[in-house]
Amino acid sequence: SNLNSLLNAPGLSNLIEVKAVVSNKENCPAFDIAKKFSIPVYCVGNKEGFKSFDELGNLFLALKIELIVLSGFLNLIPANFIELFRNKIINIHPALLPSFGGSGMFGMNVHKAVFSSSVQVSGVSIHFVDETYDTGKIIAQRCVDISDIQSPEELAERVLKIEHQLLPEVVKKFALG
């Protein structure tokens, strides 16, 4: 859904071109969105027919990729790939980092942890990707009041709305330099 928010953001289509969509899963829902927009899709990983990160790096260099946006990509990115695209890989995380981040903290796992903690605010963090999970420099954050939520699912819905607002704003800032 974050890919959809980027592709349909007002004013962003004139600034950016999405040149590829990559997943480590063959049945990635973003692939369906990408195909509707005629965006090439690639699988990365160790399975037969998948690209390696080295191949993906060469492809991205050939395509002159200026920004890589991770959304729901759960694998740790290899250090040599990060070095090749240092400060050009960003990730969206469904909580206010540095809290509720790290290995295993993704999707509903994050929302359950936030809900169980009794914090009164949550939100979204967009950060640079480095060699470990969720520790790169924070680019932007946005808070949302969650003092009245009744479930992790309700929290997830509220945070997703903020993701769909913040990610296009950050990508636009990158596009504008």
Side-chain angles (χ1 to χ4, degrees), residues 91-119:
N91 181 51
I92 188 162
H93 185 77
L96 296 174
L97 293 173
S99 298
F100 307 106
S103 182
M105 293 303 283
F106 59 87
M108 198 52 71
N109 293 349
V110 173
H111 301 304
K112 287 176 181 175
V114 170
F115 183 76
S116 297
S117 75
S118 76
V119 297

Side-chain angles (χ1 to χ4, degrees), residues 74-96:
L74 305 181
N75 291 4
L76 193 62
I77 308 293
N80 63 331
F81 188 88
I82 290 170
E83 191 56 41
L84 192 59
F85 296 99
R86 177 80 55 197
N87 296 324
K88 292 183 178 183
I89 309 172
I90 65 173
N91 181 51
I92 188 162
H93 185 77
L96 296 174

Side-chain angles (χ1 to χ4, degrees), residues 16-162:
I16 68 165
E17 177 186 359
V18 178
K19 295 183 178 180
V21 174
V22 178
S23 177
N24 62 319
K25 299 174 186 169
E26 294 173 277
N27 298 320
C28 175
F31 284 177
D32 295 329
I33 296 167
K35 289 172 185 172
K36 288 179 188 173
F37 285 85
S38 300
I39 301 167
V41 299
Y42 304 94
C43 288
V44 65
N46 296 326
K47 293 183 183 176
E48 186 175 327
F50 281 32
K51 290 197 174 300
S52 69
F53 272 97
D54 288 339
E55 291 172 312
L56 191 63
N58 290 334
L59 173 68
F60 282 7
L61 289 172
L63 292 173
K64 297 184 169 115
I65 299 295
E66 297 177 29
L67 184 67
I68 299 167
V69 179
L70 302 181
S71 176
F73 193 86
L74 305 181
N75 291 4
L76 193 62
I77 308 293
N80 63 331
F81 188 88
I82 290 170
E83 191 56 41
L84 192 59
F85 296 99
R86 177 80 55 197
N87 296 324
K88 292 183 178 183
I89 309 172
I90 65 173
N91 181 51
I92 188 162
H93 185 77
L96 296 174
L97 293 173
S99 298
F100 307 106
S103 182
M105 293 303 283
F106 59 87
M108 198 52 71
N109 293 349
V110 173
H111 301 304
K112 287 176 181 175
V114 170
F115 183 76
S116 297
S117 75
S118 76
V119 297
Q120 300 298 297
V121 295
S122 188
V124 176
S125 300
I126 299 177
H127 64 93
F128 285 108
V129 173
D130 62 13
E131 290 79 7
T132 58
Y133 287 111
D134 301 327
T135 60
K137 185 176 179 183
I138 295 170
I139 299 164
Q141 290 182 309
R142 184 153 305 149
C143 296
V144 61
D145 179 0
I146 60 167
S147 60
D148 62 337
I149 61 161
Q150 302 298 311
S151 69
E153 293 77 16
E154 186 180 348
L155 171 59
E157 287 178 30
R158 201 169 289 182
V159 168
L160 187 60
K161 288 178 187 174
I162 302 301

